[in-house]
Amino acid sequence: MTVSYTLLGLLEAGDRHGYDLKQAYDRRFGAAKPIRFGQVYRTLAQLVRDGRVEVAAVEPGAGPDRKRYAITPEGVTDLDRWLAEPEDPQPQLQAVLFTKVTLALMSGRPAVEFLDAQRARHLATMRALTAARRDAASAQDALLADYQLFHVEADLRWIEHAAGRLPALAEEAGDAGGS
């Protein structure tokens, strides 16, 4: 869903070919959420079908004809609406971390070892993101590194919290496993 609106936003600046849209997307958003050419063209086809984008021109190329896409007034209206809507807060903690701790406890495995390994991985990621932020070529790159860093930091706080609660969690998991 976000890819559609991202492409609409990129088209709002002016008509573009699919290839140009992919390049613009990669420059602005590719580090956070990569996209494939196929997804660009599938999304453009859907946006055309929905009336939010139109083919502004068809130009001959070395291979197949190249289509130049433009945002429609309906697309601008939809983009405006989407940009104005606040997003529901979503827990950033990956469900996999919670699931692994719970399953380890339910099976009698040492969840503390998993949490220790996960903590080490998170700390290494934080070091890499801190270096990326320090060496960022642009304010946008630094802001993206901050965004990622803050989410990893939140996961790390959860890991510390879970580690402190392991005895109580193990007791609950043992009771649940026997029921």
Side-chain angles (χ1 to χ4, degrees):
M1 184 67 114
T2 305
V3 171
S4 302
Y5 289 111
T6 304
L7 294 180
L8 286 174
L10 292 171
L11 282 170
E12 196 170 32
D15 301 356
R16 294 181 187 223
H17 296 106
Y19 180 85
D20 298 331
L21 281 169
K22 163 82 165 100
Q23 298 304 316
Y25 183 98
D26 286 348
R27 278 191 306 278
R28 291 286 186 184
F29 308 104
K33 185 176 182 182
I35 186 174
R36 294 189 176 111
F37 278 108
Q39 187 176 7
V40 170
Y41 290 108
R42 278 191 307 277
T43 303
L44 285 169
Q46 180 182 4
L47 290 169
V48 168
R49 187 181 63 241
D50 295 344
R52 296 186 287 168
V53 167
E54 63 189 3
V55 177
V58 178
E59 304 162 353
D65 289 342
R66 296 182 62 199
K67 295 178 183 175
R68 183 173 286 279
Y69 297 91
I71 191 169
T72 64
E74 293 82 9
V76 172
T77 300
D78 195 32
L79 180 62
D80 284 340
R81 181 195 51 77
W82 181 74
L83 290 172
E85 285 178 2
E87 294 293 318
D88 290 332
Q90 297 290 322
Q92 296 298 318
L93 177 65
Q94 296 175 358
V96 175
L97 295 178
F98 174 78
T99 302
K100 284 185 173 184
V101 169
T102 302
L103 290 174
L105 292 171
M106 287 175 62
S107 67
R109 290 182 175 93
V112 69
E113 290 176 13
F114 164 72
L115 289 174
D116 287 345
Q118 195 64 53
R119 181 183 301 107
R121 176 71 59 92
H122 273 66
L123 289 171
T125 300
M126 288 179 78
R127 284 189 293 276
L129 288 169
T130 300
R133 181 183 58 197
R134 183 182 54 247
D135 301 336
S138 69
Q140 180 179 334
D141 291 345
L143 188 61
L144 176 60
D146 283 337
Y147 179 82
Q148 294 168 325
L149 186 60
F150 294 154
H151 286 286
V152 171
E153 185 178 42
D155 285 352
L156 188 58
R157 285 195 314 266
W158 180 85
I159 289 167
E160 296 302 329
H161 177 75
R165 298 190 64 197
L166 280 179
L169 293 167
E171 186 175 319
E172 282 181 20
D175 290 344
S179 302

